[in-house]
Amino acid sequence: MGKSGRTRRDVILRMLDERERLEVAELTRRLGVSAMTVRRDLHELQQDGVLRRVHGGAVRRERSPFETRRVAHAEEKLRIAARAAGLIDDGDSVAIDTGTTAHSVARALRDRRDLVVVTNSIHVAGEFQGVPDSSAKVLLAGGVIAPELCLVGALATETIRKLHVNKLVLGCGGLTAERGLTFFDIEEAEVRRAMLEIAEKVIVVMDHTKFGRTETISVARLDQVDVLVTDAEPPPPYPRLCRDSGVELVIA
């Protein structure tokens, strides 16, 4: 029996991590599907920018750090994004940060009506451009362009602090009992703190690997979060910490 589409593409990505070129014939044997199905998977991965189609197969395309994180735990991020998007209504104003899981939420929100989206991520802003009949208004914070195509610095944080949003979709690099939500880049962390200041409701999106992981910069305490959406039941002590902090825990 063949694997699901997302599972097949995850296998292809893992194989590309081990070698520079893959052949369609080899993939049909490995995945148990037709050559037409493999070509369709390769086409979708090429559209995502993670490989390049060549005659008879595909070759690895060097990924940016953002792309590398985006394809990691991709199936889990899609589930998280779908649940988080369900918490956002037509007509909401929502801030969305630069993380790859938050970017997946932005993609899941493209059919919402009359959204106001505040972001410092060029990736997120781009999700709402070119969508037929889109009514979203996107406010892209100014600032210095960082390597991951996001805007940081004093201009970005000052712009965001002048605004107000109903909801914030916030990713993180890790969560621990001692340090709360953490991130690995100080300038992006400052923008996230500014977003926290202007939001009525904070929705954190993170896959299960972030529990117990800590990064360099502390961004927020757990009790600053309203809803935490993840893909699996967290290990102890995080369910209890969420209850004690008044955080609604949602398992996608």
Side-chain angles (χ1 to χ4, degrees), residues 18 35 45 63 77 82 95 109 113 128 145 148 181 185 197:
E18 299 168 358
L45 289 169
R63 304 175 196 156
K77 288 175 181 178
L109 289 172
R113 304 295 302 170
F128 297 93
I145 299 180
E148 296 203 355
L181 301 171
D185 183 275
E197 293 174 16

Side-chain angles (χ1 to χ4, degrees), residues 122-159:
I122 295 172
H123 293 291
V124 168
E127 288 298 331
F128 297 93
Q129 302 306 304
V131 178
D133 301 320
S134 173
S135 58
K137 178 182 291 186
V138 180
L139 304 179
L140 182 62
V144 178
I145 299 180
E148 296 203 355
L149 293 183
C150 62
L151 296 146
V152 297
L155 182 57
T157 56
E158 288 170 10
T159 300

Side-chain angles (χ1 to χ4, degrees), residues 219-245:
V219 175
R221 304 183 311 275
L222 187 56
D223 62 11
Q224 292 177 267
V225 176
D226 296 291
V227 183
L228 193 158
V229 186
T230 188
D231 61 292
E233 183 70 24
Y238 295 100
R240 176 183 58 77
L241 289 174
C242 285
R243 288 193 302 271
D244 292 349
S245 300

